[in-house]
Structures are given as C-alpha cells and as structure tokens.
Amino acid sequence: MKVIFAGTPEFAAVALQSLHEAGFEIPLVLTQPDRPAGRGMQLQPSAVKQYAVSKGIEVLQPLSLRMDSKDPRRAEEAKAAHQRLLSTPYDVMVVAAYGLILPRSTLDIKPCLNIHGSLLPRWRGAAPIHRAIEAGDTETGITIMEMEEGLDTGPMLLIERVAIEDSDTTGSLHDKLAALGGKMIVEALNKYRHNQLEAVVQPEQGVNYAAKISKEEAALDFTQSAVEIGRKIRAFNPFPGAHGTVNDVHIKLWGAELVDASGPAGKVLSADAQHGIVVACGSGALRLTQLQKPGGKRLPAAEFIKGFPLEGLRFS
C-alpha cells in the first residue's frame, strides 16, 4: 500500500515514523517550507522533513496547494505540486497537522485520511489539545477521519479516548496523543485496505472551534478563578507560556496547583520557602511551582524567589 504523507510538526513526524516502520511504502512527503527559528532565526526544516530526509524519502514543500491562489508564486507552486501528486502512484494520503488546507483538487485525486487530536466533533480546528485542557475537559483522544472540504467535518473511521489528568500540560498530552495517533493510523490503514472500516457521520451537536493559540492569550487575568487560571497555565505549556506581570516585568508561569486561600486578586499572599509562592485569584488561590523571568531559566519557586523576591507584590 503506497501512502503519501502530509504533515509538519513533531505530532505528525511520530505518525510518519510509525507508518515507515510498519512497512508502508511512502513515495512522497508534503510538509511546510522551512521557517526561521532560534535566536539566529536560521531556516529550520520541519520535524516531518527531518525524518523524511533521514530515511531518504522525497520531500515537497509548496507554499500552497490552491491553484486558484491570487498570489502568482503560490499558484505556480500549487500547480507543480498538483502535477507531482498526479504523477505519483499512491493509494491514500495521510494528513496530520499539515497546516495547509487541502483543496477539492487534491482531495479528488485519492482518498485522504486525517489524524485529528481530539474526539470529534468536540474540538475542530488548529489547537484541539490546548483548548481541551483550557476548557477543563476530562478526556480527549484521536479521531481518524476521512477528509472533505469542511474544517474537520469528515466522517469518522476510528476513535480512541485518553483521560486528561490534572497534571497534564499541552506538552505531556501532545506526546500521549502523538504516540496514539501513530499506532491508530497503522491500524486504520490495515483495516482500510481490507474494507474493515465503517465511516460514521459526525453528529451536529457538540461542535466547538479550537482556534489557533495567540501570544496575547498568554497574559493571565488574576481576577479569574484559580481553576480557570490553572487550566490556562497548563494549556499554554510549552507554548506560548502563560505569564503574569509584576512591576511591569512579565513572569512566565509554567506550573501551579490549587490551594485553599483567598485575598485581593493578584496579591502575592506568601513567597517563602515554607509556604511557597501563593497568589490570590478572583476566587481561590494558586501556589506557583515553576516560574521564569525574562532572559532566565525555568526555576522551581524556591529558587526563583532567591533572585526575584515577590513577597507583598501583586500580579496586575
């Protein structure tokens, strides 16, 4: 069975590795163009490209797959990519966090299956893992679905659930779901080629849009409840990193736990070795367990306050 794979970040690279190690023939990989990254802003290949190159798999990186793009360069690259797909023998395309919309012209060539990091239709869109934690969901999972032109609206083929633990961050949950997605797509393709998958139409109720995470969302509002703020801290770890502001200094908050305390919203109730860093919220309070000042490293609370005393200050 020949599989063309389309994906970009680590989540997708795990699936690509699973397919490759399971013995599927992968004649071509699509991934987004190299992007500037790091302090030197040097062009960096995606995680998917790195894996594909290491295994000698051909990589294609078009800016767009829309041949009707008004940008001449994007339209030309899309046309070239379309011709490459037409000239490549394959049975199915697998898509995971690709980052580009697949137009009808691509979807019509061969069946396209998507590895989606949520229990559809609960979270459709770009950031289902973040949004599930932020919303306080108790479970999530992976849905293998058939792709159509709508945003994550296609029929579901395979679903597995994963509990969201109180300690889960987007980083830890991402790793669980990436591993599960890799396992499930191998299972799905093995069943697919033997016509053992049943397509189930998504219900119309319970649909939510998981909008892409913006850096502006990372600024915490301590008039919210401790429960809400704690979820945001976990949801925005490792990106973009939730932060609070003390005396005009943005302090990133990487870990927190609920405590039974109260006070004016944002007030640092304690910041010592005995009680830790406790901050009052709109209702309840949080004990901050891991913090980072600008230009510094992530530090446990006890270490952080040695270089940045917080006693009596207030997060605004």
Side-chain angles (χ1 to χ4, degrees):
M1 194 173 190
K2 295 182 179 180
V3 180
I4 285 183
F5 186 87
T8 299
E10 184 62 30
F11 181 89
V14 173
L16 175 59
Q17 180 178 351
S18 296
L19 290 171
H20 184 263
E21 292 180 350
F24 289 95
E25 184 177 345
I26 305 170
L28 181 67
V29 161
L30 302 180
T31 191
Q32 288 212 37
D34 298 358
R35 305 291 190 198
R39 292 188 176 182
M41 296 302 287
Q42 298 295 315
L43 288 178
Q44 298 292 330
S46 71
V48 163
K49 180 180 178 179
Q50 291 179 52
Y51 182 82
V53 169
S54 74
K55 301 302 178 183
I57 303 171
E58 183 179 352
V59 176
L60 197 62
Q61 298 176 271
L63 288 168
S64 173
L65 293 175
R66 290 190 172 278
M67 295 184 286
D68 59 355
S69 173
K70 295 181 180 179
D71 182 325
R73 182 185 172 192
R74 289 175 180 269
E76 284 303 312
E77 289 201 13
K79 291 175 183 177
H82 184 70
Q83 290 302 315
R84 184 70 180 86
L85 292 174
L86 290 175
S87 64
T88 301
Y90 71 102
D91 301 294
V92 63
M93 178 182 287
V94 170
V95 182
Y98 181 26
L100 292 183
I101 295 174
L102 268 60
R104 171 54 56 190
S105 57
T106 300
L107 296 172
D108 282 345
I109 300 174
K110 292 287 183 179
C112 297
L113 304 188
N114 179 245
I115 307 170
H116 186 72
S118 82
L119 301 174
L120 289 171
R122 171 62 174 157
W123 292 111
R124 294 174 178 171
I129 302 176
H130 296 79
R131 299 306 180 188
I133 293 177
E134 184 185 19
D137 291 2
T138 58
E139 67 174 4
T140 184
I142 291 289
T143 304
I144 306 295
M145 55 171 284
E146 292 182 3
M147 294 189 70
E148 55 185 32
E149 284 188 284
L151 179 64
D152 300 329
T153 58
M156 303 177 292
L157 301 173
L158 207 61
I159 297 175
E160 285 197 31
R161 299 173 182 272
V162 171
I164 300 179
E165 307 294 341
D166 290 341
S167 58
D168 269 326
T169 64
T170 288
S172 66
L173 192 55
H174 165 279
D175 293 348
K176 294 177 189 178
L177 293 177
L180 179 60
K183 177 184 79 71
M184 287 177 63
I185 193 60
V186 171
E187 178 186 352
L189 289 184
N190 283 327
K191 289 183 176 181
Y192 185 80
R193 61 182 169 186
H194 294 110
N195 296 315
Q196 296 175 342
L197 286 177
E198 179 184 357
V200 177
V201 176
Q202 293 186 37
E204 296 180 2
Q205 293 75 33
V207 176
N208 293 278
Y209 177 60
K212 184 178 180 180
I213 302 297
S214 68
K215 290 185 178 181
E216 289 74 23
E217 292 181 78
L220 296 175
D221 176 5
F222 279 87
T223 64
Q224 292 185 314
S225 71
V227 170
E228 290 175 294
I229 296 171
R231 289 173 184 166
K232 288 180 183 290
I233 290 173
R234 293 190 294 120
F236 299 156
N237 181 355
F239 176 85
H243 69 262
T245 302
V246 176
N247 292 343
D248 295 325
V249 178
H250 292 331
I251 299 175
K252 286 198 172 183
L253 309 178
W254 297 110
E257 54 192 28
L258 297 174
V259 293
D260 185 13
S262 62
K267 179 75 172 181
V268 179
L269 303 178
S270 67
D272 54 55
Q274 180 180 358
H275 303 97
I277 302 173
V278 177
V279 182
C281 305
S283 62
L286 289 172
R287 178 178 286 112
L288 306 180
T289 58
Q290 191 179 53
L291 305 89
Q292 181 181 14
K293 64 182 179 181
K297 299 178 180 179
R298 295 190 187 194
L299 294 174
E303 292 297 316
F304 183 85
I305 57 178
K306 290 179 181 179
F308 201 112
L310 288 170
E311 186 77 51
L313 300 181
R314 190 167 186 166
F315 282 88
S316 61

